[in-house]
Amino acid sequence: MRKTEEEQGARLLRYCKSILLGGGTAFLICLAFLFLAAVGVSQGILDPGLQERLTVVGCVLGSFTGGLLAVRSCKGRGLFVGLAVGAVLFLLQLTLGLLLYDTMTPENGGLGLLCGALCGGAAAGILGGGRRGSGRGGKRRRR
């Protein structure tokens, strides 16, 4: 019984490591997308009125790619891992927003960022985690 507890602890540690790595990757990709969007707005390519939509798209893209990274490294619980990556991304954004600005209100797009981060992570969990039983249906027994 002791061995299974150690295996569960090692699995939980691997999941947490993958989730944090995916959340960090998601944050960096979101920042890169927002930097490119800022360059597009300053060059006049993008309309400045699209600011809130571009931030939500950045959250979705970041959490999707970070979630894919995390889901592929730990098989089995894809949806849970993807949602956790989205939550980590939102918490990183919330922390950075509270450090840089005085207040954080949900009316300033916080709810959209949360939904975008969770939806991107969930999509990564659904699309990246369903490859568990690929060897079952391909072969048939002959009599």
Side-chain angles (χ1 to χ4, degrees):
M1 187 155 184
R2 186 82 161 133
K3 188 176 180 181
T4 59
E5 289 177 4
E6 291 174 1
E7 289 174 359
Q8 287 177 352
R11 185 180 308 141
L12 182 65
L13 187 64
R14 187 177 67 237
Y15 282 170
C16 289
K17 182 179 132 185
S18 296
I19 288 169
L20 289 176
L21 182 67
T25 304
F27 186 71
L28 291 177
I29 289 185
C30 184
L31 280 179
F33 177 80
L34 291 177
F35 176 74
L36 292 175
V39 169
V41 168
S42 67
Q43 294 293 325
I45 300 170
L46 297 173
D47 183 30
L50 297 175
Q51 177 183 359
E52 187 173 331
R53 292 179 186 152
L54 288 173
T55 55
V56 173
V57 168
C59 284
V60 171
L61 287 177
S63 65
F64 182 74
T65 54
L68 278 179
L69 177 75
V71 164
R72 290 190 180 174
S73 64
C74 35
K75 301 284 184 188
R77 306 243 185 243
L79 184 61
F80 172 72
V81 172
L83 284 172
V85 167
V88 166
L89 173 64
F90 179 71
L91 289 176
L92 284 172
Q93 290 173 342
L94 183 68
T95 303
L96 189 65
L98 286 175
L99 288 175
L100 295 177
Y101 301 107
D102 293 334
T103 60
M104 168 60 180
T105 58
E107 293 87 26
N108 290 339
L111 190 60
L113 294 179
L114 174 64
C115 291
L118 290 179
C119 288
I126 291 170
L127 296 176
R131 308 286 186 254
R132 217 178 345 167
S134 62
R136 278 189 267 175
K139 298 180 182 179
R140 293 185 180 180
R141 290 186 181 179
R142 293 186 175 219
R143 293 184 191 182

